[in-house]
Amino acid sequence: WNDRRVVQHLGITADQQKRMEMLFQQDRLHLIDLIAALDKENAILEPLLQADRPDEPRVLAQIDRIAQARAELEKANARFLLGIRAILTPEQWRKLEAEKPRPPIDRQPPPPHF
């Protein structure tokens, strides 16, 4: 909504831009907190993995906390996108979706990040 080319291509109105900015500002602090929580959980995992003999139950429990933090962040992002979608017209949404790059079908899953 802040990219002039996208605004023009989708035909986003000034009112829609204002509503999207308000939605972003409402969600912004919550998203910052969720990102920080995920970063914190990842930081806790690092020394657990660097031990000569990692304590498997503690490592697995921490991985669960990371997965939960990541899930909370993903849910917040999804809620934000649903809010944006509600502001756009169906035609604007279809145009936006058509512009989104699609991953190749035979793409391998990313390796685990430790």
Side-chain angles (χ1 to χ4, degrees):
W1 68 93
N2 288 326
D3 183 326
R4 187 176 52 88
R5 185 189 67 79
V6 172
V7 168
Q8 197 170 28
H9 176 69
L10 298 179
I12 295 174
T13 66
D15 179 61
Q16 286 174 311
Q17 280 183 292
K18 181 181 173 184
R19 290 170 52 204
M20 285 186 246
E21 183 63 30
M22 286 174 50
L23 178 66
F24 174 70
Q25 291 304 325
Q26 288 171 352
D27 288 356
R28 185 175 180 205
L29 294 178
H30 184 59
L31 290 171
I32 289 169
D33 289 342
L34 291 172
I35 291 167
L38 178 57
D39 289 345
K40 178 183 174 185
E41 297 300 344
N42 278 314
I44 291 169
L45 179 64
E46 286 180 31
L48 296 176
L49 292 174
Q50 291 174 358
D52 287 338
R53 293 185 180 253
D55 181 344
E56 186 174 345
R58 285 183 67 199
V59 168
L60 294 176
Q62 188 57 33
I63 290 170
D64 286 343
R65 286 191 285 279
I66 289 169
Q68 183 61 42
R70 187 173 288 132
E72 292 303 318
L73 179 58
E74 289 297 323
K75 287 190 286 188
N77 278 326
R79 282 190 293 272
F80 175 73
L81 288 176
L82 280 172
I84 293 293
R85 185 172 181 174
I87 294 169
L88 296 174
T89 66
E91 176 153 341
Q92 289 169 327
W93 182 255
R94 281 191 293 276
K95 282 184 183 179
L96 185 61
E97 284 291 292
E99 297 291 320
K100 188 167 56 172
R102 302 283 185 218
I105 293 174
D106 63 345
R107 183 174 166 212
Q108 295 293 318
H113 175 70
F114 292 120

